[in-house]
Amino acid sequence: DAGITQSPRHKVTETGTPVTLRCHQTENHRYMYWYRQDPGHGLRLIHYSYGVKDTDKGEVSDGYSVSRSKTEDFLLTLESATSSQTSVYFCAISGEPNTEAFFGQGTRLTVV
Amino acid sequence: RKEVEQDPGPFNVPEGATVAFNCTYSNSASQSFFWYRQDCRKEPKLLMSVYSSGNEDGRFTAQLNRASQYISLLIRDSKLSDSATYLCVVVPGAGSYQLTFGKGTKLSVIP
């Protein structure tokens, strides 16, 4: 299995609080992604990174920010958590364009 | 038209049956195609890539039809362990690194 670790694996937080999710990879892959998965919507891209300090928005980026200061770490921050951000968050990595991505085990986030 | 569309199912099939899933995509410039498998409450895992010439991996066969813009997955001799959600994934263009996912097709193999 690809070396991808997400932390935390589960989190319950209150509305209005900031939350940071971490994705750590040991594969030295250039591309990293954050997805959220919700019933009826499938996997939707939040943000992605194509190198250190190079990031861009996906289709559902509102309310989220990211940072990548090292190749191996990609952080997703919910600036002020809302109940609509209750979801399962997956980090993924890929090495080259047009190639498959490998996923972390996911973070189950509940905003109450 | 959505970028990647799949029949959500569920497909309920008996053990030993053959089952096929189709997936259509809207971007004719799409370059790469994959099938992923996702078990309940787990991460998606790559099942197989889909090549223009078609490819086979054991009981699984993937086909690409560029003219009609669809890909297919055929599972022969279904096993109970094949029960999962199957995700169709498309990379929209040359040099692109963003994967676009279908919503998935749920398969239940019944004893």
Side-chain angles (χ1 to χ4, degrees):
Chain A
D1 288 346
I4 311 168
T5 305
Q6 290 186 231
S7 58
R9 295 290 315 281
H10 301 271
K11 186 170 182 67
V12 180
T13 192
E14 292 186 351
T15 298
T17 60
V19 177
T20 296
L21 308 183
R22 181 181 184 235
C23 178
H24 178 79
Q25 59 140 334
T26 57
E27 305 295 322
N28 200 36
H29 279 354
R30 180 179 174 187
Y31 304 100
M32 298 186 75
Y33 314 83
W34 278 107
Y35 288 88
R36 61 177 289 175
Q37 188 173 35
D38 305 287
H41 290 278
L43 280 152
R44 294 180 291 174
L45 183 64
I46 305 171
H47 280 279
Y48 60 96
S49 170
Y50 46 95
V52 173
K53 298 187 179 178
D54 291 324
T55 65
D56 207 346
K57 297 178 180 180
E59 68 174 297
V60 290
S61 60
D62 287 349
Y64 302 94
S65 62
V66 290
S67 66
R68 190 169 179 199
S69 58
K70 298 184 290 185
T71 298
E72 57 266 34
D73 289 325
F74 192 32
L75 304 180
L76 176 70
T77 297
L78 288 65
E79 294 140 9
S80 177
T82 67
S83 59
S84 64
Q85 293 175 312
T86 292
S87 186
V88 180
Y89 292 86
F90 287 104
C91 174
I93 63 174
S94 66
E96 300 292 334
N98 292 322
T99 63
E100 66 273 17
F102 300 96
F103 284 80
Q105 293 178 296
T107 295
R108 195 166 295 273
L109 177 68
T110 302
V111 183
V112 298
Chain B
R1 182 180 177 185
K2 294 181 181 175
E3 288 191 62
V4 180
E5 292 199 67
Q6 296 182 248
D7 182 341
F11 284 59
N12 299 314
V13 302
E15 272 187 290
T18 295
V19 60
F21 308 135
N22 284 336
C23 165
T24 59
Y25 60 95
S26 60
N27 186 341
S28 60
S30 297
Q31 293 290 313
S32 301
F33 310 88
F34 307 96
W35 283 102
Y36 278 70
R37 171 196 168 121
Q38 187 173 26
D39 294 296
C40 187
R41 301 177 75 85
K42 298 288 189 179
E43 74 274 23
K45 292 189 176 181
L46 179 68
L47 179 66
M48 58 197 306
S49 302
V50 186
Y51 303 120
S52 296
S53 55
N55 49 304
E56 186 174 312
D57 183 2
R59 298 181 293 107
F60 298 83
T61 300
Q63 297 278 353
L64 168 63
N65 185 317
R66 287 193 182 272
S68 300
Q69 295 183 208
Y70 77 84
I71 66 173
S72 62
L73 177 68
L74 183 76
I75 305 175
R76 290 181 298 278
D77 189 23
S78 299
K79 311 292 186 189
L80 295 176
S81 58
D82 294 333
S83 296
T85 296
Y86 290 84
L87 305 172
C88 170
V89 182
V90 175
V91 180
S96 176
Y97 37 81
Q98 295 186 53
L99 283 73
T100 302
F101 286 78
K103 294 182 181 179
T105 298
K106 186 172 182 180
L107 172 66
S108 294
V109 181
I110 304 163

PDB file of all heavy atoms in Angstrom, chain B residues 19-44:
ATOM      1  N   VAL B  19     -21.478  -9.759 -14.358  1.00  0.00           N
ATOM      2  CA  VAL B  19     -22.130  -8.452 -14.227  1.00  0.00           C
ATOM      3  C   VAL B  19     -21.280  -7.408 -14.936  1.00  0.00           C
ATOM      4  O   VAL B  19     -20.047  -7.500 -14.957  1.00  0.00           O
ATOM      5  CB  VAL B  19     -22.342  -8.092 -12.738  1.00  0.00           C
ATOM      6  CG1 VAL B  19     -21.028  -8.018 -11.977  1.00  0.00           C
ATOM      7  CG2 VAL B  19     -23.153  -6.816 -12.585  1.00  0.00           C
ATOM      8  N   ALA B  20     -21.958  -6.443 -15.538  1.00  0.00           N
ATOM      9  CA  ALA B  20     -21.250  -5.388 -16.275  1.00  0.00           C
ATOM     10  C   ALA B  20     -21.735  -4.020 -15.832  1.00  0.00           C
ATOM     11  O   ALA B  20     -22.929  -3.805 -15.616  1.00  0.00           O
ATOM     12  CB  ALA B  20     -21.473  -5.555 -17.772  1.00  0.00           C
ATOM     13  N   PHE B  21     -20.781  -3.117 -15.696  1.00  0.00           N
ATOM     14  CA  PHE B  21     -21.078  -1.727 -15.361  1.00  0.00           C
ATOM     15  C   PHE B  21     -20.605  -0.833 -16.496  1.00  0.00           C
ATOM     16  O   PHE B  21     -19.530  -1.066 -17.059  1.00  0.00           O
ATOM     17  CB  PHE B  21     -20.336  -1.273 -14.093  1.00  0.00           C
ATOM     18  CG  PHE B  21     -20.510  -2.162 -12.912  1.00  0.00           C
ATOM     19  CD1 PHE B  21     -19.428  -2.523 -12.126  1.00  0.00           C
ATOM     20  CD2 PHE B  21     -21.757  -2.640 -12.556  1.00  0.00           C
ATOM     21  CE1 PHE B  21     -19.575  -3.327 -11.016  1.00  0.00           C
ATOM     22  CE2 PHE B  21     -21.915  -3.453 -11.452  1.00  0.00           C
ATOM     23  CZ  PHE B  21     -20.819  -3.797 -10.682  1.00  0.00           C
ATOM     24  N   ASN B  22     -21.383   0.187 -16.798  1.00  0.00           N
ATOM     25  CA  ASN B  22     -20.956   1.188 -17.772  1.00  0.00           C
ATOM     26  C   ASN B  22     -20.797   2.534 -17.102  1.00  0.00           C
ATOM     27  O   ASN B  22     -21.419   2.819 -16.070  1.00  0.00           O
ATOM     28  CB  ASN B  22     -21.988   1.315 -18.892  1.00  0.00           C
ATOM     29  CG  ASN B  22     -21.899   0.165 -19.862  1.00  0.00           C
ATOM     30  OD1 ASN B  22     -20.863  -0.480 -19.995  1.00  0.00           O
ATOM     31  ND2 ASN B  22     -23.004  -0.114 -20.529  1.00  0.00           N
ATOM     32  N   CYS B  23     -19.994   3.360 -17.733  1.00  0.00           N
ATOM     33  CA  CYS B  23     -19.743   4.705 -17.233  1.00  0.00           C
ATOM     34  C   CYS B  23     -19.572   5.603 -18.450  1.00  0.00           C
ATOM     35  O   CYS B  23     -18.836   5.245 -19.376  1.00  0.00           O
ATOM     36  CB  CYS B  23     -18.472   4.682 -16.383  1.00  0.00           C
ATOM     37  SG  CYS B  23     -17.765   6.279 -16.020  1.00  0.00           S
ATOM     38  N   THR B  24     -20.253   6.734 -18.484  1.00  0.00           N
ATOM     39  CA  THR B  24     -20.091   7.663 -19.595  1.00  0.00           C
ATOM     40  C   THR B  24     -19.379   8.917 -19.123  1.00  0.00           C
ATOM     41  O   THR B  24     -19.504   9.315 -17.958  1.00  0.00           O
ATOM     42  CB  THR B  24     -21.453   8.052 -20.205  1.00  0.00           C
ATOM     43  OG1 THR B  24     -22.260   8.660 -19.187  1.00  0.00           O
ATOM     44  CG2 THR B  24     -22.168   6.845 -20.762  1.00  0.00           C
ATOM     45  N   TYR B  25     -18.628   9.528 -20.014  1.00  0.00           N
ATOM     46  CA  TYR B  25     -17.921  10.757 -19.682  1.00  0.00           C
ATOM     47  C   TYR B  25     -18.193  11.801 -20.741  1.00  0.00           C
ATOM     48  O   TYR B  25     -18.449  11.483 -21.900  1.00  0.00           O
ATOM     49  CB  TYR B  25     -16.423  10.497 -19.512  1.00  0.00           C
ATOM     50  CG  TYR B  25     -15.724   9.948 -20.729  1.00  0.00           C
ATOM     51  CD1 TYR B  25     -15.070  10.796 -21.617  1.00  0.00           C
ATOM     52  CD2 TYR B  25     -15.691   8.583 -20.981  1.00  0.00           C
ATOM     53  CE1 TYR B  25     -14.416  10.290 -22.734  1.00  0.00           C
ATOM     54  CE2 TYR B  25     -15.052   8.064 -22.086  1.00  0.00           C
ATOM     55  CZ  TYR B  25     -14.417   8.930 -22.968  1.00  0.00           C
ATOM     56  OH  TYR B  25     -13.773   8.430 -24.064  1.00  0.00           O
ATOM     57  N   SER B  26     -18.130  13.068 -20.344  1.00  0.00           N
ATOM     58  CA  SER B  26     -18.560  14.137 -21.249  1.00  0.00           C
ATOM     59  C   SER B  26     -17.415  14.797 -22.007  1.00  0.00           C
ATOM     60  O   SER B  26     -17.636  15.361 -23.083  1.00  0.00           O
ATOM     61  CB  SER B  26     -19.317  15.207 -20.451  1.00  0.00           C
ATOM     62  OG  SER B  26     -18.487  15.765 -19.460  1.00  0.00           O
ATOM     63  N   ASN B  27     -16.203  14.744 -21.469  1.00  0.00           N
ATOM     64  CA  ASN B  27     -15.080  15.447 -22.088  1.00  0.00           C
ATOM     65  C   ASN B  27     -14.376  14.539 -23.096  1.00  0.00           C
ATOM     66  O   ASN B  27     -13.693  13.589 -22.714  1.00  0.00           O
ATOM     67  CB  ASN B  27     -14.105  15.903 -21.003  1.00  0.00           C
ATOM     68  CG  ASN B  27     -12.974  16.767 -21.543  1.00  0.00           C
ATOM     69  OD1 ASN B  27     -12.697  16.768 -22.736  1.00  0.00           O
ATOM     70  ND2 ASN B  27     -12.314  17.490 -20.663  1.00  0.00           N
ATOM     71  N   SER B  28     -14.539  14.855 -24.366  1.00  0.00           N
ATOM     72  CA  SER B  28     -13.966  13.994 -25.404  1.00  0.00           C
ATOM     73  C   SER B  28     -12.440  14.016 -25.403  1.00  0.00           C
ATOM     74  O   SER B  28     -11.812  13.162 -26.014  1.00  0.00           O
ATOM     75  CB  SER B  28     -14.494  14.419 -26.781  1.00  0.00           C
ATOM     76  OG  SER B  28     -14.141  15.767 -27.038  1.00  0.00           O
ATOM     77  N   ALA B  29     -11.846  15.007 -24.734  1.00  0.00           N
ATOM     78  CA  ALA B  29     -10.378  15.083 -24.666  1.00  0.00           C
ATOM     79  C   ALA B  29      -9.795  14.250 -23.532  1.00  0.00           C
ATOM     80  O   ALA B  29      -8.583  14.236 -23.333  1.00  0.00           O
ATOM     81  CB  ALA B  29      -9.945  16.546 -24.505  1.00  0.00           C
ATOM     82  N   SER B  30     -10.634  13.558 -22.783  1.00  0.00           N
ATOM     83  CA  SER B  30     -10.159  12.763 -21.648  1.00  0.00           C
ATOM     84  C   SER B  30      -9.132  11.753 -22.108  1.00  0.00           C
ATOM     85  O   SER B  30      -9.266  11.139 -23.167  1.00  0.00           O
ATOM     86  CB  SER B  30     -11.334  12.059 -20.963  1.00  0.00           C
ATOM     87  OG  SER B  30     -12.225  13.012 -20.422  1.00  0.00           O
ATOM     88  N   GLN B  31      -8.099  11.586 -21.262  1.00  0.00           N
ATOM     89  CA  GLN B  31      -6.953  10.786 -21.670  1.00  0.00           C
ATOM     90  C   GLN B  31      -6.800   9.486 -20.909  1.00  0.00           C
ATOM     91  O   GLN B  31      -6.339   8.498 -21.468  1.00  0.00           O
ATOM     92  CB  GLN B  31      -5.674  11.616 -21.467  1.00  0.00           C
ATOM     93  CG  GLN B  31      -5.578  12.817 -22.383  1.00  0.00           C
ATOM     94  CD  GLN B  31      -5.335  12.426 -23.821  1.00  0.00           C
ATOM     95  OE1 GLN B  31      -4.479  11.595 -24.102  1.00  0.00           O
ATOM     96  NE2 GLN B  31      -6.102  12.989 -24.738  1.00  0.00           N
ATOM     97  N   SER B  32      -7.139   9.510 -19.634  1.00  0.00           N
ATOM     98  CA  SER B  32      -6.876   8.332 -18.805  1.00  0.00           C
ATOM     99  C   SER B  32      -8.139   7.950 -18.054  1.00  0.00           C
ATOM    100  O   SER B  32      -8.921   8.819 -17.662  1.00  0.00           O
ATOM    101  CB  SER B  32      -5.746   8.615 -17.803  1.00  0.00           C
ATOM    102  OG  SER B  32      -4.575   8.984 -18.476  1.00  0.00           O
ATOM    103  N   PHE B  33      -8.259   6.645 -17.854  1.00  0.00           N
ATOM    104  CA  PHE B  33      -9.491   6.102 -17.279  1.00  0.00           C
ATOM    105  C   PHE B  33      -9.141   4.977 -16.313  1.00  0.00           C
ATOM    106  O   PHE B  33      -8.222   4.196 -16.575  1.00  0.00           O
ATOM    107  CB  PHE B  33     -10.395   5.554 -18.395  1.00  0.00           C
ATOM    108  CG  PHE B  33     -10.610   6.529 -19.522  1.00  0.00           C
ATOM    109  CD1 PHE B  33      -9.725   6.577 -20.590  1.00  0.00           C
ATOM    110  CD2 PHE B  33     -11.677   7.401 -19.500  1.00  0.00           C
ATOM    111  CE1 PHE B  33      -9.898   7.484 -21.625  1.00  0.00           C
ATOM    112  CE2 PHE B  33     -11.867   8.313 -20.530  1.00  0.00           C
ATOM    113  CZ  PHE B  33     -10.976   8.349 -21.592  1.00  0.00           C
ATOM    114  N   PHE B  34      -9.895   4.940 -15.229  1.00  0.00           N
ATOM    115  CA  PHE B  34      -9.607   3.933 -14.214  1.00  0.00           C
ATOM    116  C   PHE B  34     -10.909   3.434 -13.614  1.00  0.00           C
ATOM    117  O   PHE B  34     -11.922   4.140 -13.608  1.00  0.00           O
ATOM    118  CB  PHE B  34      -8.762   4.542 -13.077  1.00  0.00           C
ATOM    119  CG  PHE B  34      -7.516   5.244 -13.540  1.00  0.00           C
ATOM    120  CD1 PHE B  34      -7.513   6.615 -13.723  1.00  0.00           C
ATOM    121  CD2 PHE B  34      -6.357   4.537 -13.779  1.00  0.00           C
ATOM    122  CE1 PHE B  34      -6.374   7.275 -14.149  1.00  0.00           C
ATOM    123  CE2 PHE B  34      -5.214   5.189 -14.202  1.00  0.00           C
ATOM    124  CZ  PHE B  34      -5.221   6.555 -14.398  1.00  0.00           C
ATOM    125  N   TRP B  35     -10.849   2.240 -13.067  1.00  0.00           N
ATOM    126  CA  TRP B  35     -11.888   1.739 -12.172  1.00  0.00           C
ATOM    127  C   TRP B  35     -11.291   1.580 -10.784  1.00  0.00           C
ATOM    128  O   TRP B  35     -10.210   1.001 -10.630  1.00  0.00           O
ATOM    129  CB  TRP B  35     -12.432   0.396 -12.653  1.00  0.00           C
ATOM    130  CG  TRP B  35     -13.374   0.499 -13.807  1.00  0.00           C
ATOM    131  CD1 TRP B  35     -13.098   0.234 -15.118  1.00  0.00           C
ATOM    132  CD2 TRP B  35     -14.746   0.883 -13.763  1.00  0.00           C
ATOM    133  NE1 TRP B  35     -14.212   0.444 -15.888  1.00  0.00           N
ATOM    134  CE2 TRP B  35     -15.239   0.835 -15.077  1.00  0.00           C
ATOM    135  CE3 TRP B  35     -15.620   1.267 -12.728  1.00  0.00           C
ATOM    136  CZ2 TRP B  35     -16.571   1.160 -15.395  1.00  0.00           C
ATOM    137  CZ3 TRP B  35     -16.923   1.577 -13.045  1.00  0.00           C
ATOM    138  CH2 TRP B  35     -17.395   1.520 -14.365  1.00  0.00           C
ATOM    139  N   TYR B  36     -12.009   2.116  -9.803  1.00  0.00           N
ATOM    140  CA  TYR B  36     -11.633   1.952  -8.407  1.00  0.00           C
ATOM    141  C   TYR B  36     -12.711   1.135  -7.719  1.00  0.00           C
ATOM    142  O   TYR B  36     -13.877   1.134  -8.112  1.00  0.00           O
ATOM    143  CB  TYR B  36     -11.530   3.315  -7.704  1.00  0.00           C
ATOM    144  CG  TYR B  36     -10.221   4.043  -7.920  1.00  0.00           C
ATOM    145  CD1 TYR B  36      -9.896   4.583  -9.163  1.00  0.00           C
ATOM    146  CD2 TYR B  36      -9.322   4.209  -6.873  1.00  0.00           C
ATOM    147  CE1 TYR B  36      -8.694   5.258  -9.347  1.00  0.00           C
ATOM    148  CE2 TYR B  36      -8.127   4.884  -7.047  1.00  0.00           C
ATOM    149  CZ  TYR B  36      -7.822   5.415  -8.285  1.00  0.00           C
ATOM    150  OH  TYR B  36      -6.643   6.083  -8.472  1.00  0.00           O
ATOM    151  N   ARG B  37     -12.320   0.511  -6.646  1.00  0.00           N
ATOM    152  CA  ARG B  37     -13.246  -0.226  -5.808  1.00  0.00           C
ATOM    153  C   ARG B  37     -13.231   0.414  -4.430  1.00  0.00           C
ATOM    154  O   ARG B  37     -12.167   0.762  -3.916  1.00  0.00           O
ATOM    155  CB  ARG B  37     -12.777  -1.675  -5.727  1.00  0.00           C
ATOM    156  CG  ARG B  37     -13.523  -2.503  -4.708  1.00  0.00           C
ATOM    157  CD  ARG B  37     -12.784  -3.778  -4.382  1.00  0.00           C
ATOM    158  NE  ARG B  37     -13.408  -4.377  -3.212  1.00  0.00           N
ATOM    159  CZ  ARG B  37     -13.940  -5.588  -3.197  1.00  0.00           C
ATOM    160  NH1 ARG B  37     -13.864  -6.361  -4.270  1.00  0.00           N
ATOM    161  NH2 ARG B  37     -14.519  -6.046  -2.107  1.00  0.00           N
ATOM    162  N   GLN B  38     -14.422   0.562  -3.847  1.00  0.00           N
ATOM    163  CA  GLN B  38     -14.494   1.107  -2.485  1.00  0.00           C
ATOM    164  C   GLN B  38     -15.392   0.224  -1.629  1.00  0.00           C
ATOM    165  O   GLN B  38     -16.577   0.055  -1.932  1.00  0.00           O
ATOM    166  CB  GLN B  38     -15.020   2.552  -2.496  1.00  0.00           C
ATOM    167  CG  GLN B  38     -14.958   3.206  -1.116  1.00  0.00           C
ATOM    168  CD  GLN B  38     -15.322   4.677  -1.149  1.00  0.00           C
ATOM    169  OE1 GLN B  38     -16.049   5.139  -2.019  1.00  0.00           O
ATOM    170  NE2 GLN B  38     -14.813   5.437  -0.178  1.00  0.00           N
ATOM    171  N   ASP B  39     -14.810  -0.306  -0.580  1.00  0.00           N
ATOM    172  CA  ASP B  39     -15.580  -1.066   0.399  1.00  0.00           C
ATOM    173  C   ASP B  39     -16.188  -0.102   1.409  1.00  0.00           C
ATOM    174  O   ASP B  39     -15.698   1.029   1.588  1.00  0.00           O
ATOM    175  CB  ASP B  39     -14.683  -2.087   1.097  1.00  0.00           C
ATOM    176  CG  ASP B  39     -14.195  -3.150   0.133  1.00  0.00           C
ATOM    177  OD1 ASP B  39     -15.056  -3.887  -0.388  1.00  0.00           O
ATOM    178  OD2 ASP B  39     -12.987  -3.226  -0.122  1.00  0.00           O
ATOM    179  N   CYS B  40     -17.232  -0.573   2.077  1.00  0.00           N
ATOM    180  CA  CYS B  40     -17.973   0.287   2.999  1.00  0.00           C
ATOM    181  C   CYS B  40     -17.042   0.886   4.052  1.00  0.00           C
ATOM    182  O   CYS B  40     -16.276   0.160   4.706  1.00  0.00           O
ATOM    183  CB  CYS B  40     -19.077  -0.529   3.659  1.00  0.00           C
ATOM    184  SG  CYS B  40     -20.198   0.455   4.660  1.00  0.00           S
ATOM    185  N   ARG B  41     -17.066   2.198   4.167  1.00  0.00           N
ATOM    186  CA  ARG B  41     -16.315   2.936   5.182  1.00  0.00           C
ATOM    187  C   ARG B  41     -14.786   2.802   5.008  1.00  0.00           C
ATOM    188  O   ARG B  41     -14.036   2.946   5.972  1.00  0.00           O
ATOM    189  CB  ARG B  41     -16.735   2.521   6.587  1.00  0.00           C
ATOM    190  CG  ARG B  41     -18.219   2.745   6.851  1.00  0.00           C
ATOM    191  CD  ARG B  41     -18.610   2.254   8.219  1.00  0.00           C
ATOM    192  NE  ARG B  41     -18.162   3.137   9.277  1.00  0.00           N
ATOM    193  CZ  ARG B  41     -18.820   4.211   9.692  1.00  0.00           C
ATOM    194  NH1 ARG B  41     -19.954   4.553   9.122  1.00  0.00           N
ATOM    195  NH2 ARG B  41     -18.344   4.962  10.674  1.00  0.00           N
ATOM    196  N   LYS B  42     -14.370   2.515   3.766  1.00  0.00           N
ATOM    197  CA  LYS B  42     -12.948   2.421   3.474  1.00  0.00           C
ATOM    198  C   LYS B  42     -12.591   3.399   2.361  1.00  0.00           C
ATOM    199  O   LYS B  42     -13.459   4.002   1.743  1.00  0.00           O
ATOM    200  CB  LYS B  42     -12.594   1.000   3.015  1.00  0.00           C
ATOM    201  CG  LYS B  42     -12.858  -0.068   4.065  1.00  0.00           C
ATOM    202  CD  LYS B  42     -11.856   0.000   5.182  1.00  0.00           C
ATOM    203  CE  LYS B  42     -11.999  -1.199   6.101  1.00  0.00           C
ATOM    204  NZ  LYS B  42     -11.006  -1.156   7.208  1.00  0.00           N
ATOM    205  N   GLU B  43     -11.283   3.523   2.107  1.00  0.00           N
ATOM    206  CA  GLU B  43     -10.847   4.395   1.041  1.00  0.00           C
ATOM    207  C   GLU B  43     -10.982   3.714  -0.317  1.00  0.00           C
ATOM    208  O   GLU B  43     -10.939   2.487  -0.405  1.00  0.00           O
ATOM    209  CB  GLU B  43      -9.379   4.830   1.269  1.00  0.00           C
ATOM    210  CG  GLU B  43      -8.334   3.759   1.008  1.00  0.00           C
ATOM    211  CD  GLU B  43      -8.066   2.879   2.194  1.00  0.00           C
ATOM    212  OE1 GLU B  43      -8.940   2.755   3.105  1.00  0.00           O
ATOM    213  OE2 GLU B  43      -6.960   2.294   2.226  1.00  0.00           O
ATOM    214  N   PRO B  44     -11.122   4.497  -1.393  1.00  0.00           N
ATOM    215  CA  PRO B  44     -11.110   3.902  -2.731  1.00  0.00           C
ATOM    216  C   PRO B  44      -9.749   3.289  -3.031  1.00  0.00           C
ATOM    217  O   PRO B  44      -8.710   3.851  -2.663  1.00  0.00           O
ATOM    218  CB  PRO B  44     -11.376   5.101  -3.652  1.00  0.00           C
ATOM    219  CG  PRO B  44     -11.937   6.166  -2.779  1.00  0.00           C
ATOM    220  CD  PRO B  44     -11.334   5.960  -1.433  1.00  0.00           C
TER     221      PRO B  44
END
